[in-house]
Amino acid sequence: MINRLEVIQNRYNEISNELLKTEVMSNIKKMTELSKEQRRLSETVELYEKYKSILTDIETAKEMSKDSEMLEFAKEEISRLDKEKEELEKKLEILLLPHDPNDEKNVIVEIRGAAGGDEANIFAGDLFDMYTHYINNFGWKIEVLNEEPGTAGGFSQIEFMIKGEGAYSKLKYESGAHRVQRVPETESQGRVHTSTATVLVMPEAEEFDYELDESEVRIDITRSSGCGGQGVNTTDSAVRLTHIPTGIIVYSQTERSQIKNKEKAFKILKTRLYDLKLREQEAANAAERKNKIGTGDRSEKIRTYNYPQNRVTDHRIGFTSMNLDRIMTGELGIIIEALINESQRIELENSEI
């Protein structure tokens, strides 16, 4: 572990020197890459410095124990420092796990009403509200890129961006089918129905991640449809993009401006293509899959929200909470932290094999 930490510290110092060079300062791409790498390494370097300081203090306390008058004090110090050392070692082990380069990125989330008709669309709206409350805890920003309101409320589909450092690291486990069990408002007999909505979380494709050949994209301008403000249905401002090689279609109509809708549509398309590229790379490296929780596929049933019992269960890790009402109003973190901890446990286990 020490050898790996020394390599990281040397790399951190090397980056610091690189960032002072004139040729690097004038290269925006290089500056961006190095700055991101340095930020990612900073926590590890800081903890390693603290760890080395504790090792020095332990040696000092051992020297003190040779003096009979200081023996008891030295023993207490060594005991305290040993506990600190063990805690730091556990934290450093986690920080030394393979890093997901997308963890610090913004995300684009797509939620769709699936099985269950109007109730599925209403639940899709509830999930959107849940994520909105959750991200407000971090002071992150949310931007709706495209929405198709359901006729009875909620959304048949909504796509939105969450802007905040580390957004993907928190939300990447949310992809999959979310199932709700409750009595719909339209149910006259009081029977519990089961409906589903699907969630897809993708890291935003940044400028240097994916180069899109726009000659492979067909652009269609159409009239906006569905619910909207005054004038939304009277101008040809909606944009539909079709990526010819993959058949991926993206639609954006949230803005009255055709230019703004086009910008949003291209942002979604680039992110979808980047996500497809990542999934293909992952499929090619089957060993990587064993270190992950779930498939990340929108068809995989990952969680059930049971309203009559105020219970939510994440099926991938067997986690259950009886505080569904609080989770839906922003306390999603208890589930996300449990998923992160289990993912780290699996990775640590596999790293020791």
Side-chain angles (χ1 to χ4, degrees), residues 9 15 32 49 62 75 109 116 126 142 153 155 158 178 189 195 209 219 236 263 268 280 295-296 316 324 328:
Q9 186 169 52
I15 292 171
T32 303
E49 288 293 340
K62 284 179 179 178
K75 280 182 177 179
V109 183
D126 292 338
I142 188 166
F155 303 96
I158 182 167
H178 295 239
Q189 304 297 317
S195 306
D209 290 328
I219 304 173
D236 292 334
E263 285 176 0
I268 297 170
E280 286 173 349
T295 64
R316 295 163 295 179
L324 172 59
M328 297 305 290

Side-chain angles (χ1 to χ4, degrees), residues 76-102:
E76 288 178 11
E77 272 296 282
I78 291 170
S79 177
R80 180 183 67 80
L81 290 167
D82 276 341
K83 285 179 183 176
E84 280 191 44
K85 175 174 165 283
E86 286 178 16
E87 288 174 7
L88 276 178
E89 283 173 345
K90 288 176 183 176
K91 290 179 181 178
L92 287 167
E93 279 180 354
I94 290 171
L95 288 171
L96 287 173
L97 289 171
H99 176 70
D100 185 339
N102 293 307

Side-chain angles (χ1 to χ4, degrees), residues 28-280:
I28 296 174
K29 181 179 179 181
K30 190 69 175 173
M31 274 282 291
T32 303
E33 289 174 349
L34 288 173
S35 296
K36 281 186 176 181
E37 186 181 357
Q38 188 181 54
R39 280 200 305 273
R40 180 172 61 80
L41 297 178
S42 61
E43 184 181 0
T44 306
V45 171
E46 187 179 323
L47 281 183
Y48 181 42
E49 288 293 340
K50 189 175 180 181
Y51 181 74
K52 286 193 292 185
S53 177
I54 287 173
L55 291 181
T56 301
D57 289 345
I58 289 173
E59 289 305 312
T60 301
K62 284 179 179 178
E63 284 296 316
M64 287 169 57
S65 68
K66 294 175 182 178
D67 184 338
S68 58
E69 293 182 6
M70 300 294 290
L71 181 59
E72 287 305 312
F73 173 75
K75 280 182 177 179
E76 288 178 11
E77 272 296 282
I78 291 170
S79 177
R80 180 183 67 80
L81 290 167
D82 276 341
K83 285 179 183 176
E84 280 191 44
K85 175 174 165 283
E86 286 178 16
E87 288 174 7
L88 276 178
E89 283 173 345
K90 288 176 183 176
K91 290 179 181 178
L92 287 167
E93 279 180 354
I94 290 171
L95 288 171
L96 287 173
L97 289 171
H99 176 70
D100 185 339
N102 293 307
D103 273 353
E104 284 76 36
K105 291 185 178 179
N106 300 331
V107 297
I108 289 181
V109 183
E110 177 198 279
I111 305 175
R112 292 188 183 191
D118 287 342
E119 173 63 9
N121 293 342
I122 292 169
F123 180 51
D126 292 338
L127 289 176
F128 174 68
D129 290 340
M130 177 184 75
Y131 291 125
T132 300
H133 291 309
Y134 174 68
I135 68 167
N136 284 341
N137 296 331
F138 298 95
W140 294 344
K141 306 287 186 185
I142 188 166
E143 177 188 0
V144 174
L145 302 174
N146 186 47
E147 61 180 86
E148 296 175 20
T151 54
F155 303 96
S156 61
Q157 179 176 336
I158 182 167
E159 289 161 297
F160 54 99
M161 175 178 284
I162 297 171
K163 298 179 179 179
E165 189 168 338
Y168 186 68
S169 70
K170 298 288 187 185
L171 292 164
K172 61 184 176 182
Y173 303 104
E174 292 300 295
S175 290
H178 295 239
R179 183 175 68 171
V180 63
Q181 294 173 329
R182 64 185 175 189
V183 180
E185 292 180 12
T186 54
E187 171 54 57
S188 58
Q189 304 297 317
R191 291 172 297 188
V192 174
H193 288 224
T194 298
S195 306
T196 58
T198 60
V199 175
L200 180 62
V201 177
M202 301 168 285
E204 180 192 12
E206 296 176 347
E207 184 180 352
F208 308 119
D209 290 328
Y210 190 90
E211 292 187 17
L212 177 64
D213 183 352
E214 294 192 15
S215 68
E216 297 180 338
V217 180
R218 188 174 74 239
I219 304 173
D220 296 305
I221 308 301
T222 64
R223 184 155 294 183
S224 299
S225 61
C227 306
Q230 186 178 1
V232 75
N233 298 315
T234 59
T235 57
D236 292 334
S237 59
V239 176
R240 183 175 63 240
L241 304 181
T242 305
H243 186 244
I244 297 167
T246 62
I248 291 174
I249 297 174
V250 168
Y251 191 70
S252 180
Q253 63 171 14
T254 56
E255 304 286 345
R256 291 190 182 187
S257 162
Q258 184 187 122
I259 293 172
K260 288 183 179 178
N261 280 328
K262 185 178 176 182
E263 285 176 0
K264 287 187 173 184
F266 267 104
K267 190 183 292 284
I268 297 170
L269 179 59
K270 285 181 181 178
T271 294
R272 283 186 177 279
L273 290 168
Y274 179 53
D275 184 62
L276 179 64
K277 173 184 165 186
L278 292 175
R279 289 174 184 273
E280 286 173 349

Side-chain angles (χ1 to χ4, degrees), residues 282-300:
E282 192 176 288
N285 182 11
E288 189 177 333
R289 182 74 268 159
K290 72 179 181 181
N291 288 355
K292 296 200 173 181
I293 292 173
T295 64
D297 189 277
R298 73 164 75 234
S299 64
E300 179 193 16

